[in-house]
Amino acid sequence: MLSKLQKASDKVGLFLQNKPFSIAWLQFQFQRHFHMERKNSSKVQGLYDFCKKTFTPSGTPPPSSQAVRDLCSLLDTVGPADVGLEEQSSDDDRGLGFSGLYGLNRVARWAQPITYLDIYECDSFTMCIFCFPTSAAIPLHDHPGMTVFSKVLYGSMHVKAYDWVEPARFQETKGPGYRPVRLAKLATDKVLTPQYGTSVLYPKSGGNLHCFTAVTPCAVLDILTPPYNEDAGRKCTYYVDYPFPTFSAVNGAEVSNEKEEYAWLSEIDTPDDLYMRPGVYAGPAILV
């Protein structure tokens, strides 16, 4: 018995003598495990981790230029399979972006809505996907006080976007009940594909007011920070745009540059033909 106790004591003493080495070894194993987990984590998890440590509920301070570049680099690597989507061809134009949703029949494909997939939402940011059938559109709308990252995952999408002219310029319109129009400058008018990379709009630049129209079946991954919140003054408002001469000829308004770059925007109610429904996100789960 004494011999066994002595051996045990010797082992304890040896462990204590080598304690610094043991701690270093544990640290090494922890770091190795941590890096392996990071390496094996999904791209969606990487987006979540970055957004969680970077964005705030108030949107202040705004994302730094370095943070914008880093997030764009992450988004540029994301494809349909990374978020549980299957690329849709024009021959299977259902706007779903993923297979097997109740086997919708192709006879009614043009009546299919835009499908909204909620990936994650908190007070600081929203991650979501919009899946469009051909010709489906999200009307012109704004993102007050928000920064929005958009990455086309597959297909082609036409984007038209404006920024408000500052200081604000309004024109009254004729007739009772008509809302005044406000001058905006065209920021973007082009077709985006996955090869284009990530586009970014800011509170006062980059095309804060935009509309999407699907040229082909397509899907876009959006990250909005901070998210819409009416109580915080971030309400989504819809608009219709009018060519610059529509009102300026009557009211004598002038602009210094090309008139084609400007338009008058009028606030409208949420369009009745905005046909959108929720879908089920089928990509990798996020560990929060």
Side-chain angles (χ1 to χ4, degrees):
M1 174 67 85
L2 290 175
S3 176
K4 290 183 179 179
L5 287 174
Q6 183 62 48
K7 288 181 180 180
S9 177
D10 290 343
K11 288 182 179 179
V12 171
L14 182 61
F15 173 79
L16 292 174
Q17 290 174 14
N18 294 328
K19 188 175 182 181
F21 169 79
S22 300
I23 293 175
W25 181 83
L26 289 172
Q27 290 175 334
F28 169 77
Q29 291 298 324
F30 173 79
Q31 292 173 354
R32 179 171 173 268
H33 176 76
F34 176 77
H35 288 301
M36 287 181 65
E37 288 293 318
R38 295 283 294 182
K39 183 178 179 181
N40 295 330
S41 66
S42 68
K43 291 181 180 180
V44 173
Q45 184 68 47
L47 292 173
Y48 165 83
D49 291 341
F50 183 89
C51 294
K52 195 68 174 178
K53 72 179 182 181
T54 304
F55 300 139
T56 63
S58 65
T60 54
S64 67
S65 57
Q66 184 61 54
V68 169
R69 287 193 295 270
D70 290 345
L71 183 52
C72 286
S73 295
L74 290 173
L75 281 166
D76 286 344
T77 69
V78 178
D82 297 312
V83 290
L85 300 185
E86 292 181 5
E87 183 170 349
Q88 300 296 306
S89 69
S90 57
D91 293 332
D92 187 22
D93 191 3
R94 294 175 292 179
L96 303 176
F98 52 97
S99 61
L101 186 60
Y102 312 120
L104 289 170
N105 114 28
R106 293 181 55 186
V107 174
R109 66 180 185 173
W110 297 113
Q112 297 309 316
I114 298 167
T115 304
Y116 173 83
L117 307 177
D118 181 23
I119 301 177
Y120 180 82
E121 183 172 357
C122 65
D123 291 341
S124 299
F125 64 95
T126 294
M127 295 172 56
C128 60
I129 299 171
F130 296 92
C131 300
F132 295 74
T134 300
S135 300
I138 296 180
L140 187 64
H141 61 282
D142 65 354
H143 307 82
M146 301 159 64
T147 302
V148 181
F149 300 78
S150 298
K151 171 65 166 61
V152 175
L153 298 172
Y154 65 78
S156 301
M157 170 180 291
H158 178 258
V159 178
K160 189 175 186 180
Y162 297 94
D163 289 309
W164 293 122
V165 170
E166 298 291 352
R169 295 177 60 178
F170 294 92
Q171 296 282 15
E172 295 297 328
T173 55
K174 292 184 177 181
Y178 284 81
R179 295 169 176 170
V181 294
R182 182 176 175 181
L183 188 62
K185 184 175 183 180
L186 186 66
T188 300
D189 188 7
K190 57 188 173 186
V191 174
L192 302 183
T193 65
Q195 291 70 36
Y196 180 84
T198 302
S199 58
V200 188
L201 64 82
Y202 302 92
K204 295 184 180 298
S205 64
N208 186 271
L209 304 97
H210 67 193
C211 56
F212 292 155
T213 304
V215 179
T216 68
C218 59
V220 59
L221 169 61
D222 272 0
I223 296 179
L224 303 85
T225 179
Y228 286 112
N229 183 333
E230 290 192 25
D231 292 337
R234 296 190 298 272
K235 176 187 176 182
C236 181
T237 303
Y238 291 91
Y239 297 87
V240 61
D241 55 342
Y242 297 99
F244 180 76
T246 303
F247 299 102
S248 57
V250 175
N251 296 293
E254 292 295 336
V255 290
S256 57
N257 297 319
E258 294 295 327
K259 292 180 173 59
E260 292 79 7
E261 296 182 1
Y262 293 86
W264 297 100
L265 306 190
S266 177
E267 181 180 336
I268 61 173
D269 296 329
T270 301
D272 293 332
D273 58 354
L274 180 55
Y275 191 19
M276 191 178 301
R277 71 173 174 195
V280 179
Y281 168 66
I286 292 176
L287 300 177
V288 298

